[in-house]
Amino acid sequence: MNIKKLISDLITVKIENINYEDLIVESISSDKGDYCLPCFPFSKILKKNPNQIALDLASTVKKSKYIEKIEVVQGYLNFFLNIQVLSKEILAEIIDSKIQTEGQGKVVCIDYGSPNLAKYLHIGHLKTLIIGESLCRLFEMFGYTVKRLNFVGDYGTPFGKIIGGIELFGSMQEVEKRGNDALQDYYVKFNQLEEKDEKYVQMARDIFKKIEEKDEKIYSMYKKIVEISLSDAIEKFKLLGVEFDDYRGEMYYNQFVPKLIERLKELGLLSTSQGAQIVDLSAYDMPPAIMLKSDGTSLYASRDLSASIVRYRDYEFDKMIYLTAVEQDLHFKQWFKVAELMKMKYASSLEHVSYGRFSLPDGKISSRRGKQAVLVDLIEYVLTKAKEVIKDRKFEIEKPTEVAKKVSRAVLNYSVLKVERGKDCVFDVEKAFSFEGETAPYMQYTFTRIESILRKYSNNINNSKNIEYDYSCFNTDAFVLTKMLNNFVPDCRQALIKRDPSFVAKRVMELCKAFNKFYTTTKVLEGTEPEINAKIRLLIALRKILKQGFNLICIECLKEM
Ligand code: ARG
């Protein structure tokens, strides 16, 4: 229910160019009503003081079953709503609501979580994976068809180095046995050689050239490496509850680059600079977009651009979103511009969404190799911690391991999603497990509380009678919760528009807190039967919205904890 519109429609005198609905806000404290209209902006237009305007407007407000009373205080028109009438209608609307349909028939492709293969996934990948997954779910909530695309990094000299490493000091058997660990070892060792002796730089390049030329032996090694490393990545994605529809990566799209170059030539967009083929973007204050190196090989930008052409052919997307760290801003700006200059039909549907850094407090998890901690290490660390917490709290639950997994996933995912997308965050594992603060376990625990009340209720329910409801027992806490539930879908729409799931995470947390406040002032299962029924209806609506909210922020609901 759109309460702001409802109120605004009741004000019969209109002011030119003013839409009351845009100005009405929720009151900060309940003694000032539920909603208020500040009348200061009208002062200039009407040449009267705000308080007088508020008084004048107040006298024009139509009588309505939704409004209990109106007050004018210091230039504000305060509306006190009828809790009973509104609660009844809002809860019915939520409980009976069907899915949102505004995105129906529209296809959104989201490119996220794309790792460079043959390397460990590091903790930074958590951001793209979880924010990406959450965005997918938000689009799905509004009826869009979502395609989850993973543009795996399976192209480039790192593969030359790894194969060089295998040839110099390893074997494919070792790769099959030890998977990514072996690949990382070879990569690191080969890099060390390169630092000492230039000739290895050339060796890696030559091997990579052979991969491109599909040299029988080298290409089959490459294929195997990609296969092993991709299935390893897919396994890790699954640990986080993420799965993709399409894993075609850079090597796949590389085959379409020659056609792209031809097209760019036809359009007169290409020029040569130091042997490389570039698109000059100086008119747009950007460095040139390099499409082909002087040795004729493609670049990240040309592969991304050809991927967009193929993806548009395959999915006819209405929106194509790329989710990466901010460092790649320029890359996307450049090739989006080239797509625009090529007058690609879909150019205006391309969108880059970036996020800030994710790190751990120093020394928390030692990095196996490289600068950043490895993602599985973090996943395991958090899982162990979840198991300890569950043991310590002596929960009597049927499947502690399952619960620990769900709690640990929730802790990880919430640690990413609670922070505004663009901001950097440091993940404090200890705090994240507290049941008191604003944490994922607190939310999951709240959900189990609601479930348990509803279970108790349904055990005692007398089904033979017609159910009657009495909302007169709703106090402010109940109504605050009801209003929050009413705001949930519009808030999610805002999160979608801003491409920022942190807004959903905040709302879900607020709902949990509001429920716990309500729970301290209200005995849900006490009172007359119609009173209990009304309170249960609030909990049913809350459970429905929380389920939806948890799903959006990739937190699993628990029945017991
Ligand atoms: N593999 C890249 C990296 O690890 C991210 C790819 C993002 N997607 C894209 N279509 N460029 O930095």
Side-chain angles (χ1 to χ4, degrees), residues 2-29:
N2 186 344
I3 299 179
K4 290 181 186 175
K5 175 158 193 323
L6 186 154
I7 296 175
S8 130
D9 289 347
L10 293 173
I11 308 173
T12 47
V13 170
K14 304 291 171 205
I15 303 174
E16 214 181 315
N17 295 328
I18 294 287
N19 185 358
Y20 297 130
E21 191 186 329
D22 298 336
L23 298 169
I24 291 170
V25 288
E26 284 191 48
S27 306
I28 15 177
S29 71

Side-chain angles (χ1 to χ4, degrees), residues 85-99:
V85 177
L86 271 158
S87 297
K88 182 178 167 212
E89 293 194 14
I90 289 171
L91 295 181
E93 201 177 283
I94 292 168
I95 291 170
D96 302 333
S97 72
K98 303 265 153 25
I99 48 159

Side-chain angles (χ1 to χ4, degrees), residues 321-389:
I321 294 176
Y322 299 83
L323 186 67
T324 76
V326 272
E327 284 80 1
Q328 299 199 22
D329 277 1
L330 179 63
H331 162 74
F332 285 100
K333 267 202 195 109
Q334 285 178 302
W335 77 258
F336 284 3
K337 188 45 115 186
V338 178
E340 188 192 313
L341 294 173
M342 290 176 79
K343 300 204 167 54
M344 301 310 290
K345 216 162 103 189
Y346 61 82
S348 62
S349 313
L350 301 172
E351 180 181 334
H352 178 227
V353 174
S354 60
Y355 52 81
R357 274 192 198 86
F358 182 81
S359 58
L360 297 169
D362 272 349
K364 208 45 203 176
I365 290 176
S366 64
S367 159
R368 274 194 243 177
R369 239 175 279 287
K371 281 183 234 101
Q372 274 179 301
V374 173
L375 182 59
V376 262
D377 291 351
L378 179 64
I379 295 177
E380 271 162 28
Y381 183 84
V382 174
L383 180 60
T384 313
K385 184 90 191 147
K387 284 181 182 158
E388 277 167 21
V389 169

Side-chain angles (χ1 to χ4, degrees), residues 109-125:
C109 289
I110 308 192
D111 175 319
Y112 66 107
S114 312
N116 292 329
L117 292 184
K119 291 190 182 156
Y120 290 125
L121 292 176
H122 54 74
I123 57 169
H125 284 113

